[in-house]
Amino acid sequence: MLTVPFEDPDMMRESQFGATFTRQEDARTLSSAELKEAEDDNTDREEEEREDDENGLPKKKGARKKKFSEGRGERVKMRRQEANARERSRMHGLNDALESLRKVVPCYSKTQKLSKIETLRLAKNYIWALSETLSAGKRPDLLAFVQTLCKGLSQPTTNLVAGCLQLNARNFLTDHNGDVSFSGRPHQYDSLYPYPNAEMATPTGLSSGTRDSVKPFRPYNYYASYESYYDSASPESSSPRFDGQMSPPNNYNGIFSLKKHEDQVEYSKNCHYGMRYCNVPGRGSMYRVSPDSHFPYDLHPRGQSFQSQDELNTGFHN
DNA sequence: TAGGCCATCTGGTCCT
DNA sequence: AGGACCAGATGGCCTA
């Protein structure tokens, strides 16, 4: 099926026989004359190959190829063009889907788009991190979360995440193995935990208080904290490798706070972010909504303003 | 200038 | 036969 009108001048930008045109360029449309010329070229080449035979016999086995009738040749080229158009359309659809993914993944930025591969990696990390959070049933370590997000991402992307998080990228750079390691205290970390009663497992010593326990402050051992929390596996465990690259999200939005981009309205409509944590009829929310909810990881019922997230966002947005 | 990323073309394969 | 999907090739653009 033709998904795009064949006549669509934009879609039908043609670069027959190898030439390529970018979307911005005013690529020419192959004229029928050019098509005919190309066809003749091919036919001529075939003829030459046959004539090259020293015995004067056709080089190619079998009966001499039936010369395309003009009508058939045109039809073949037409089908090629249609196939090209379909392929373009298909790839555009794929790119649209990728763009959608970019928007729901942390650190969406219109100006600094994540590459395709980085988007996929980040999405995978994001899913993995969220899954871990859910299965753990407790508040995860923020840095661990970030580190998980950055696993396998490129340096620029990691920096981007860092920028979003207002953290120093050095704090969660990857080592040579592609692992994320933390080597310093995130000075602004406390600001991410504005709730005095934070009960989740926060980086040791960083939360202003916990109900479970108060762990000693170990400023240079966050990775250990990360490992303990995500001791099951790393995102890599389910994928072959990361090529030692890591990529960072653009803003803190999807994860620790709502993204403040143009789609925010849509989020509200579609149970995006905020949930993705949609209300469950009769229960208010499918997740616990505690009065002393802790920003990054607590879930809020749709409709409630993510005030705390917004507050945090002010610090995260570039 | 090299390398990364991307869009497009193209031919092959599979499926309906 | 024709469409979807895929991967390789190619060339343009951008950035370090």
Side-chain angles (χ1 to χ4, degrees):
Chain A
M1 283 153 277
L2 255 185
T3 51
V4 173
F6 185 60
E7 299 75 21
D8 184 340
D10 186 48
M11 294 304 295
M12 290 315 300
R13 277 180 296 108
E14 195 52 78
S15 64
Q16 196 86 347
F17 313 121
T20 307
F21 300 92
T22 63
R23 201 177 285 207
Q24 294 72 28
E25 288 175 320
D26 188 16
R28 64 188 176 134
T29 299
L30 213 62
S31 69
S32 57
E34 285 170 309
L35 288 173
K36 181 72 172 68
E37 188 177 295
E39 180 187 347
D40 290 342
D41 268 1
N42 290 339
T43 308
D44 290 343
R45 230 174 288 134
E46 261 182 33
E47 298 282 71
E48 281 169 21
E49 281 175 12
R50 292 194 198 96
E51 287 167 8
D52 279 345
D53 189 310
E54 51 192 52
N55 299 322
L57 297 172
K59 262 186 175 178
K60 294 183 178 176
K61 287 185 175 179
R64 182 177 268 231
K65 234 182 187 176
K66 204 175 180 181
K67 210 171 178 178
F68 276 175
S69 70
E70 192 169 325
R72 177 169 176 174
E74 286 300 318
R75 194 146 164 271
V76 167
K77 287 186 173 53
M78 196 70 127
R79 281 178 50 195
R80 215 330 118 191
Q81 285 189 321
E82 289 173 350
N84 289 347
R86 280 194 303 272
E87 179 64 10
R88 275 196 301 271
S89 175
R90 194 180 70 84
M91 294 311 295
H92 289 167
L94 193 60
N95 289 338
D96 288 346
L98 209 49
E99 184 58 27
S100 299
L101 186 60
R102 280 192 187 99
K103 290 177 180 174
V104 297
V105 130
C107 292
Y108 173 73
S109 169
K110 242 183 173 178
T111 52
Q112 197 171 349
K113 260 175 43 171
L114 290 179
S115 69
K116 293 179 177 181
I117 186 70
E118 295 288 81
T119 299
L120 293 175
R121 284 172 176 156
L122 179 57
K124 187 198 74 171
N125 290 352
Y126 188 32
I127 292 170
W128 189 86
L130 289 178
S131 298
E132 285 299 304
T133 299
L134 285 176
S135 63
K138 61 176 185 176
R139 184 179 187 176
D141 171 69
L142 173 61
L143 279 177
F145 201 100
V146 175
Q147 288 164 348
T148 303
L149 280 181
C150 293
K151 274 243 170 187
L153 303 181
S154 68
Q155 185 60 67
T157 311
T158 300
N159 291 338
L160 191 57
V161 175
C164 294
L165 306 184
Q166 297 290 303
L167 294 174
N168 189 319
R170 288 175 304 158
N171 292 346
F172 47 95
L173 292 182
T174 58
D175 58 22
H176 296 303
N177 299 322
D179 290 332
V180 177
S181 60
F182 181 74
S183 59
R185 177 177 183 180
H187 300 297
Q188 302 189 35
Y189 183 86
D190 289 341
S191 69
L192 298 177
Y193 288 91
Y195 304 97
N197 294 327
E199 68 178 8
M200 299 292 268
T202 59
T204 49
L206 283 178
S207 68
S208 47
T210 70
R211 286 175 185 163
D212 303 334
S213 61
V214 177
K215 296 170 187 170
F217 176 53
R218 291 181 296 162
Y220 298 102
N221 200 25
Y222 289 109
Y223 192 46
S225 163
Y226 164 80
E227 289 296 2
S228 63
Y229 185 78
Y230 296 108
D231 56 355
S232 55
S234 75
E236 270 75 356
S237 65
S238 56
S239 60
R241 66 196 189 100
F242 264 103
D243 300 324
Q245 288 188 329
M246 311 280 271
S247 90
N250 256 355
N251 56 35
Y252 224 173
N253 294 335
I255 315 179
F256 304 106
S257 63
L258 271 178
K259 290 182 179 177
K260 273 198 165 173
H261 53 65
E262 68 283 357
D263 289 338
Q264 195 156 351
V265 176
E266 220 174 74
Y267 293 160
S268 307
K269 279 193 238 156
N270 303 332
C271 260
H272 236 130
Y273 287 148
M275 333 239 153
R276 292 168 195 197
Y277 313 130
C278 305
N279 285 348
V280 170
R283 297 194 59 187
S285 167
M286 66 184 289
Y287 291 102
R288 176 180 63 89
V289 181
S290 60
D292 56 337
S293 57
H294 317 299
F295 155 60
Y297 311 108
D298 277 332
L299 310 176
H300 306 257
R302 173 133 309 289
Q304 281 186 9
S305 67
F306 290 70
Q307 189 179 353
S308 57
Q309 294 182 351
D310 287 342
E311 288 168 2
L312 287 164
N313 275 342
T314 60
F316 297 143
H317 285 279
N318 300 324

